[in-house]
C-alpha cells in the first residue's frame, strides 16, 4: 500500500549524508573556537552569555 521506501535514489541519500557530515564538522570547529575564546575570557564567560542574550532580545524587538 505505502511501500515507497526504495524510492530514494543513492545519490540523494549520499548528498544528505554529505551535508550532515559537513554540518557535524562545522559544529565541531565552531565548538573549538568558542571553547578557546571561552578559555581566554575565564571568569567573564557568564557575562558573554548575558551579552549575547541581550543582543538577541534587542534584535527581536527591533531596537538594535
Amino acid at each position: 500500500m505505502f511501500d515507497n521506501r526504495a524510492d530514494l535514489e543513492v545519490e540523494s541519500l549520499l548528498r544528505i549524508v554529505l551535508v550532515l557530515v559537513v554540518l557535524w564538522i562545522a559544529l565541531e570547529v565552531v565548538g573549538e573556537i568558542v571553547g578557546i575564546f571561552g578559555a581566554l575570557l575565564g571568569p567573564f564567560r557568564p557575562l558573554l552569555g548575558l551579552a549575547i542574550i541581550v543582543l538577541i532580545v534587542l534584535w527581536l524587538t527591533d531596537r538594535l
Side-chain angles (χ1 to χ4, degrees):
M1 186 171 178
F2 293 107
D3 191 25
N4 26 343
R5 289 180 4 192
D7 286 347
L8 188 62
E9 295 181 10
V10 174
E11 289 83 12
S12 299
L13 185 60
L14 286 175
R15 285 184 184 140
I16 292 171
V17 170
L18 180 64
V19 168
L20 289 174
V21 169
V22 167
L23 285 174
W24 176 44
I25 292 172
L27 287 174
E28 289 288 331
V29 169
V30 169
E32 288 295 321
I33 291 172
V34 169
I36 291 171
F37 188 62
L40 290 175
L41 286 176
F44 297 110
R45 281 187 284 178
L47 294 177
L48 177 65
L50 184 61
I52 291 172
I53 290 172
V54 168
L55 286 174
I56 291 172
V57 168
L58 288 174
W59 179 271
L60 291 175
T61 57
D62 289 332
R63 303 224 180 206
L64 183 64

